[in-house]
Amino acid sequence: MRFPTLLILSLAFVLAGCDSVPSMSERFEPVLPQARVYQAERAAVFEAAQRAMKEIDFKVTRYGLAQGVVDGLSRVQTANSFQGARQYALEVRLSEPSPGHTEVSVLLRQQDESASFAGATDKPVREHGLYGAYFAAFEHELGQKGEPAASE
């Protein structure tokens, strides 16, 4: 009598933790950028986007107001044994959903290289603290808070 009860409780305990594990289909869905809308002109947002990149210690590698692009790279982080390295790339895109409003879309990419893999990986990151850090720095530079974009 005790064995079936223990088995059922164990199974319930294991299944209860499944909500925190990403589903198999979620793993294969494309990672969407995190986006917010600001009541500001594109040029002011563009300048704030560049300054925010520098504030979080990323080097601006590509930018263009007409294209609405600001890209940057973090410092290279090496492993203790120098067997691998990691770097983050931040891609910021600007668009104007309506006059006087600018949408800021941010996508973080993690780039890893290891001696054992003999190559590099470049994968978009769904959730990371750098998203919050960038938007906090951006809103500080712009001087206003944004609203989540309608696409989120």
Side-chain angles (χ1 to χ4, degrees):
M1 184 72 179
R2 289 190 109 189
F3 181 72
T5 305
L6 185 59
L7 181 65
I8 291 171
L9 286 174
S10 298
L11 184 60
F13 181 72
V14 168
L15 292 177
C18 289
D19 284 343
S20 64
V21 178
S23 67
M24 188 60 85
S25 64
E26 187 177 301
R27 286 181 155 182
F28 297 106
E29 291 175 3
V31 175
L32 299 175
Q34 294 191 17
R36 296 187 186 167
V37 177
Y38 297 88
Q39 190 171 349
E41 295 298 323
R42 185 180 180 121
V45 170
F46 178 73
E47 293 299 323
Q50 291 180 76
R51 290 192 308 269
M53 191 79 70
K54 293 173 186 174
E55 189 174 318
I56 63 168
D57 203 25
F58 273 60
K59 181 179 180 183
V60 176
T61 57
R62 180 175 162 227
Y63 60 94
L65 175 60
Q67 298 84 9
V69 171
V70 178
D71 291 345
L73 292 172
S74 71
R75 295 173 189 244
V76 175
Q77 303 163 358
T78 58
N80 292 341
S81 60
F82 297 103
Q83 293 296 314
R86 175 174 289 166
Q87 186 172 37
Y88 291 100
L90 206 56
E91 301 171 355
V92 179
R93 300 296 179 261
L94 309 177
S95 62
E96 294 175 289
S98 62
H101 291 81
T102 304
E103 180 176 302
V104 177
S105 300
V106 178
L107 182 64
L108 180 68
R109 304 183 76 79
Q110 179 177 315
Q111 302 167 339
D112 292 313
E113 187 169 339
S114 72
S116 63
F117 179 61
T121 62
D122 179 35
K123 59 184 178 186
V125 179
R126 194 176 306 277
E127 294 180 25
H128 197 283
L130 282 170
Y131 284 115
Y134 179 77
F135 277 116
F138 175 79
E139 290 172 353
H140 175 259
E141 293 294 332
L142 189 61
Q144 66 171 279
K145 297 277 187 198
E147 297 294 324
S151 61
E152 281 193 3

